[in-house]
Amino acid sequence: MVEKTGNKIFNKFNSASLMQATYLASENFQLRALFEAKDDILNNGKYNEINFYRILDGLLDAETERKLIIDALKNKDPLLMEEIIELIDLPYENVIYNIIYIKEQGFIKEIVEEEKTKKEVNGETKVETTLIYKYILNNFSNGFKENFFEPVSIVFDSGYCCNCGWCSSVCPLDAIKVSSDNLEIDQDLCIKCGLCYSVCPRSFSIDQVYNNLYQTNKSLQFSNKIGFYRSSYSGHTTNENIEEVKQDGGVVTALLEYLLANNLVDAIVAVQHSEDLWKPEPVIVDEISDLYKTAGTKYANSPSLNIIDQTKIYDRIAVVGVPCMMKALFKGALFPASIPFFTNIKIKIGLFCMESFSYDNIINLVKDKFEKELSDIVKMNIDKGKFIVNLTSGEELKVPLKEVQSYARDTCHYCDDLTSDFADISVGSIGSQAGWSSVILRSEEGEKIYMDAVKSGLIKSKKLTEVKPGKFLVEKIGGIKRKKCKPIRWKEI
Ligand SMILES: Cc1cc2nc3c(=O)[nH]c(=O)nc-3n(C[C@H](O)[C@H](O)[C@H](O)COP(=O)(O)OP(=O)(O)OC[C@H]3O[C@@H](n4cnc5c(N)ncnc54)[C@H](O)[C@@H]3O)c2cc1C
Ligand code: SF4
Ligand code: SF4
Ligand code: SF4
């Protein structure tokens, strides 16, 4: 509950403004929808009473903060994020993510201005354009109405859903079913709480949250092509079991083995082959021996975050996934309640990803381009601009990547993240030699785990800047993906 006594966030506000903000917060549609459906939610069993009230409490606190911010912005000219942070006595992170949420609720407008600066490069004058973001309250007269977040069928029906599965894990009524290429909502179960929309990586952009949160962190390096990070390496496993099954350097499986072997997590969400060969199936693994079945890349999409809610029996888990999934988990820890829905997610290992394919198109691609069946194939790989298949016969066949790009999922064209910007540890093949993985360490925990795994002898590692083609190529391809990404354009909701 919002209270002043002992509450480090709210004790700087006077009782009258806090009372007013709490009153306004209690009218929030998400709080009301959840509260009114309490019995159905508890009967469904995904969230127990403690968790239900933890989420509700977080939501009330977050909404109260938003109302305090709205109050502070009254009669102000457009302000930069740092000016708003100065204006209000809330932790800077809270101001940053709340401003973006308030914008989505319709209370404030974002104004984007271009700032041009001249720069001398090799004797030539170049003009650089920087985008400046400012925020101002909307006009509340003229029939202003807060935006109510629709269920995520609007994301799917607009063709933007990347089928990560996150909304289905978060939905308190289990009303959403996500498969690798479909999403359905049971309208009889849905209470229109909009939680799914708040956490969906494709609903509203969180780029400004990401940039503002990390740009002042002195221990991070930044590239507009591969995001914020602490350090980067090229590594490969020394473990013979992993060597046999790995995709590139086996770094992902080696890290997962290190986490389980050293009791740093209790289980891992990864992907293995389903009964249909090359069709990925998300799995929860808590034994090292089962880990080896998950190694290797399956290029068809896996809705891995579907099963996060099934990991509740474990206190600490690691999740492996593609960049859109890393973004989904990051967003779900911020919105709508500024607390994670599942507190057991300790480490996120993100893969590099240029695109993924529907399972049907994996079958079509292998038939059309290689005249083979899936059962003929032991490995698929994307390397040096080629789509490569290794056959049971030992033969290797390849076609230029651009020939298979029409088989990729349309939704991947709206994705601008190659290197899993939102992960703790990102791993891919681009930038490293064959049999090695490029590793980008982003969080302090992620860096410690990787360095400890190297110290333990499970991974051999070199600096990514010291190998060829190295970080230069990761940044180059990362920049290409950002550039060719199609913008998501929403109609008014
Ligand atoms: C769809 C897809 C596209 C990719 N595209 C690129 C690319 O363009 N450039 C690049 O450099 N790297 C890409 N990668 C990453 C690359 O293929 C390797 O996964 C990465 O280099 C790690 O290799 P490794 O040997 O360390 O992994 P391994 O030790 O072999 O472990 C692989 C891990 O990947 C997980 N995994 C496998 N398939 C999937 C899936 N469909 N969804 C989620 N997780 C999965 C497994 O659970 C396992 O934990 C892609 C990966 C995927 C899944
Ligand atoms: S959370 Fe994931 S699966 Fe759900 S609508 Fe959004 S993108 Fe699709
Ligand atoms: S489908 Fe979305 S809006 Fe409906 S109950 Fe589930 S989370 Fe809430
Ligand atoms: S390209 Fe983007 S949207 Fe497509 S699977 Fe990869 S991370 Fe997800």
Side-chain angles (χ1 to χ4, degrees), residues 152 155-156 160-167 178 183 196 200-202:
V152 282
V155 177
F156 184 75
Y160 298 144
C161 170
C162 56
N163 296 80
C164 65
W166 186 217
C167 53
V178 181
L183 180 147
C196 50
C200 168
R202 289 296 177 87

Side-chain angles (χ1 to χ4, degrees), residues 413-478:
H413 299 135
Y414 298 100
C415 178
D416 71 350
D417 184 0
L418 172 75
T419 58
S420 280
D421 295 358
F422 295 88
D424 293 295
I425 302 174
S426 304
V427 188
S429 62
I430 297 173
S432 286
Q433 293 288 313
W436 289 70
S437 300
S438 298
V439 184
I440 303 176
L441 303 174
R442 300 184 185 274
S443 70
E444 218 175 319
E445 303 89 304
E447 189 170 57
K448 178 165 175 14
I449 288 164
Y450 180 79
M451 298 320 286
D452 287 349
V454 171
K455 258 187 239 152
S456 79
L458 198 54
I459 294 173
K460 239 179 141 179
S461 180
K462 302 174 184 175
K463 288 207 160 117
L464 191 58
T465 42
E466 288 168 7
V467 301
K468 293 275 176 233
K471 199 163 75 153
F472 150 79
L473 193 65
V474 185
E475 292 210 41
K476 185 174 167 195
I477 309 287

Side-chain angles (χ1 to χ4, degrees), residues 235-237 242 245-256 268-272 278-283 285 291-304 319-323 325 349-357 379-383 401 409 412 418-419 426-432 435-439 474 477 481:
H236 82 86
T237 183
I242 301 176
V245 285
K246 69 184 179 136
Q247 182 69 17
D248 296 310
V251 167
V252 173
T253 310
L255 285 171
L256 299 177
I268 279 142
V269 171
V271 171
Q272 66 184 25
W278 291 104
K279 185 169 192 173
E281 175 181 64
V283 278
V285 175
L291 208 51
Y292 305 140
K293 294 181 208 151
T294 66
T297 300
K298 299 96 194 158
Y299 283 97
N301 176 55
S302 157
S304 295
V319 182
V320 182
V322 283
M325 293 171 193
I349 301 186
L351 306 170
F352 292 9
C353 177
M354 201 66 183
E355 64 258 301
S356 74
F357 304 82
K379 185 170 178 178
M380 296 186 199
N381 197 12
I382 295 177
D383 190 31
L401 192 52
R409 299 185 309 149
C412 292
L418 172 75
T419 58
S426 304
V427 188
S429 62
I430 297 173
S432 286
W436 289 70
S437 300
S438 298
V439 184
V474 185
I477 309 287
K481 186 164 181 192

Side-chain angles (χ1 to χ4, degrees), residues 12-23 64 67-68 71:
K12 295 175 188 131
F13 294 88
N14 70 51
S15 299
S17 56
L18 191 56
M19 185 83 79
Q20 169 78 3
T22 311
Y23 168 71
T64 303
K67 299 305 176 200
L68 290 166
D71 195 46

Side-chain angles (χ1 to χ4, degrees), residues 137-156:
L137 272 196
N138 260 323
N139 185 353
F140 293 154
S141 53
N142 302 333
F144 169 83
K145 270 210 241 122
E146 178 181 346
N147 289 334
F148 294 94
F149 300 159
E150 298 281 338
V152 282
S153 35
I154 87 159
V155 177
F156 184 75

Side-chain angles (χ1 to χ4, degrees), residues 157-223:
D157 295 343
S158 309
Y160 298 144
C161 170
C162 56
N163 296 80
C164 65
W166 186 217
C167 53
S168 121
S169 267
V170 167
C171 175
L173 272 312
D174 283 323
I176 312 176
K177 296 273 168 287
V178 181
S179 66
S180 58
D181 54 7
N182 198 19
L183 180 147
E184 277 174 32
I185 295 190
D186 185 333
Q187 296 301 340
D188 292 337
L189 292 177
C190 175
I191 54 164
K192 306 264 186 293
C193 66
L195 288 189
C196 50
Y197 186 87
S198 298
V199 303
C200 168
R202 289 296 177 87
S203 56
F204 56 92
S205 166
I206 53 166
D207 290 354
Q208 287 312 308
V209 177
Y210 179 73
N211 290 336
N212 281 290
L213 273 183
Y214 296 122
Q215 68 193 1
T216 51
N217 186 333
K218 297 265 184 300
S219 49
L220 295 175
Q221 306 180 54
F222 175 70
S223 146

